Amino acid sequence: MTQVEDQAFVTLATNDTYCLGALVLAHSLRKVATSRKLVVLITSGVTTHMRSLLASVFDLIQEVNVMDSKDEENLALLTRPELGITFTKLNCWRLTQFTKCVFLDADTLVLHNCDELFDKKELSATADVGWPDCFNSGVFVFHPSNETYKDLVKFAVEQGSFDGGDQGLLNMFFRDWSTKDISFHLSFIYNMNSNASYTYLPAYKQFGKDVKIVHFLGSMKPWQYSYNPSTGDVQFGSECQHVKEHLQYWWHLFIQFVHPHLQPECTGLAGQLSKMSVSSDQQEEGAASPYELALGGSHARQFAWERGQIDYLGTDSFENIKQKLDNAINGSQN
């Protein structure tokens, strides 16, 4: 596939912990064979070792200054004061070496190729599940522009944000998103909230298999869940089944591509997770693509089958399955 040099997927990681999400996101994009560049914005809080890990999968690492909304009153309404730093996201408009970009929060995960997003215009986004007249700023299509960047900063200083974070600001700035043109509304499959309990369950059953980007909204992020290194299972509470499936896949990618390269000098949760002991089998098979796993027991393989991602022409072909069954039957008779 020919690489498109002037377009990119962009994400943001302000510390080593969020770099865990950025790394898994990048590997999920590589898995689906995107033809676009991968860019990560970082701040001075990201350590040297973590930067080297980012460099191994991203095409460009761009250090930016931290921008804080300083809007403690509105942030308090969200009980999420850490969102103030998300104003740093505005720096993505300064990537003017690219003609068009798609921003993805570091707590998103790509399940299928979604390069068709680059056919969309600024500002294209998915309706927010909490208030559908607003778009969710975890995934959006934009055109880098220094002029737009300056306008956004000016607007932020003068108008602030109705929720104290980047989503409130961007919805105020692109205030005609909900009414201007339906073509700017991305399908929900490009930004599905994995943590929501969907009351319209028939719709999830009908369209859930088509989801291309999962978004782990809320304060509980994938890297904060308990993981059993012996079984390869993520420990869950009473969350919905689709949360389990998506988190399991996130951890499969993490164990294979990220965990083996972490070092104790990484800060935050990244340094702590570097000390977790994982069996060699988990590292080899844990995050393998559903299409790369050999026949046999595997949580990632089970995840693929449950989602209907079956390699009919490869490892999941009739002949291979028949051979597996024959071997199992013959073995039981010996």
Side-chain angles (χ1 to χ4, degrees):
M1 183 178 293
T2 304
Q3 181 99 47
V4 180
E5 300 292 330
D6 65 344
Q7 297 180 348
F9 283 103
V10 181
T11 191
L12 167 68
T14 55
N15 54 46
D16 279 9
T17 298
Y18 266 82
C19 282
L20 300 176
L23 286 166
V24 171
L25 169 61
H27 283 292
S28 73
L29 282 163
R30 297 295 186 195
K31 279 283 189 181
V32 299
T34 179
S35 62
R36 269 58 178 190
K37 295 285 192 177
L38 303 187
V39 177
V40 58
L41 304 179
I42 64 171
T43 67
S44 59
V46 176
T47 62
T48 300
H49 180 73
M50 187 59 78
R51 293 181 189 219
S52 69
L53 299 188
L54 294 171
S56 69
V57 64
F58 284 93
D59 297 296
L60 174 64
I61 301 175
Q62 184 72 48
E63 183 170 341
V64 297
N65 292 325
V66 175
M67 297 174 63
D68 196 319
S69 70
K70 307 294 185 183
D71 195 345
E72 296 180 2
E73 180 179 355
N74 285 330
L75 288 173
L77 296 177
L78 294 176
T79 66
R80 295 282 303 284
E82 75 276 11
L83 284 181
I85 203 170
T86 60
F87 271 67
T88 312
K89 185 186 292 188
L90 300 184
N91 283 284
C92 68
W93 267 273
R94 302 176 72 183
L95 295 169
T96 54
Q97 62 268 55
F98 301 104
T99 59
K100 188 182 294 186
C101 295
V102 174
F103 189 92
L104 301 173
D105 273 350
D107 59 351
T108 59
L109 178 68
V110 175
L111 304 179
H112 299 285
N113 186 288
C114 49
D115 287 354
E116 67 274 10
L117 285 174
F118 290 90
D119 295 332
K120 297 292 186 176
K121 299 179 181 179
E122 181 179 87
L123 189 291
S124 293
T126 300
D128 189 75
V129 293
W131 194 261
D133 281 343
C134 294
F135 59 82
N136 182 276
S137 61
V139 178
F140 60 86
V141 183
F142 69 100
H143 297 285
S145 163
N146 285 323
E147 182 178 354
T148 303
Y149 170 75
K150 292 176 182 177
D151 289 343
L152 278 165
V153 172
K154 183 175 184 292
F155 187 89
V157 171
E158 296 178 352
Q159 304 293 327
S161 165
F162 68 78
D163 66 0
D166 66 273
Q167 182 160 306
L169 169 66
L170 292 176
N171 271 278
M172 292 170 66
F173 187 83
F174 296 99
R175 57 186 175 277
D176 58 352
W177 173 85
S178 64
T179 57
K180 181 179 180 180
D181 187 339
I182 192 64
S183 67
F184 291 92
H185 291 220
L186 297 180
S187 168
F188 193 54
I189 67 171
Y190 294 111
N191 190 355
M192 194 201 79
N193 181 358
S194 180
N195 299 335
S197 177
Y198 293 105
T199 55
Y200 192 14
L201 191 57
Y204 179 79
K205 291 180 178 178
Q206 177 69 22
F207 304 112
K209 64 183 182 298
D210 300 322
V211 172
K212 293 195 172 188
I213 302 175
V214 175
H215 191 181
F216 298 98
L217 282 169
S219 58
M220 190 70 171
K221 301 305 179 186
W223 49 86
Q224 295 173 316
Y225 281 79
S226 296
Y227 175 80
N228 188 326
S230 299
T231 64
D233 290 328
V234 183
Q235 305 302 305
F236 300 93
S238 58
E239 293 89 342
C240 300
Q241 179 62 28
H242 57 276
V243 179
K244 178 179 180 180
E245 293 175 351
H246 299 142
L247 283 172
Q248 194 72 54
Y249 186 50
W250 188 97
W251 273 88
H252 289 321
L253 293 175
F254 172 77
I255 291 299
Q256 184 179 13
F257 294 111
V258 181
H259 180 265
H261 308 292
L262 295 177
Q263 295 293 333
E265 60 260 34
C266 294
T267 59
L269 190 58
Q272 298 175 36
L273 287 175
S274 71
K275 303 172 186 176
M276 181 177 67
S277 177
V278 179
S279 68
S280 58
D281 288 342
Q282 286 296 327
Q283 290 180 348
E284 291 175 1
E285 295 184 6
S289 164
Y291 303 105
E292 295 172 348
L293 293 170
L295 285 167
S298 167
H299 295 283
R301 186 75 180 289
Q302 179 180 343
F303 171 87
W305 275 70
E306 289 174 346
R307 291 187 56 78
Q309 298 171 338
I310 303 171
D311 185 11
Y312 291 108
L313 300 180
T315 57
D316 298 328
S317 67
F318 173 77
E319 289 300 325
N320 283 343
I321 293 175
K322 182 176 181 299
Q323 182 64 48
K324 181 70 174 180
L325 292 172
D326 289 341
N327 291 341
I329 293 173
N330 292 334
S332 64
Q333 292 176 344
N334 292 337

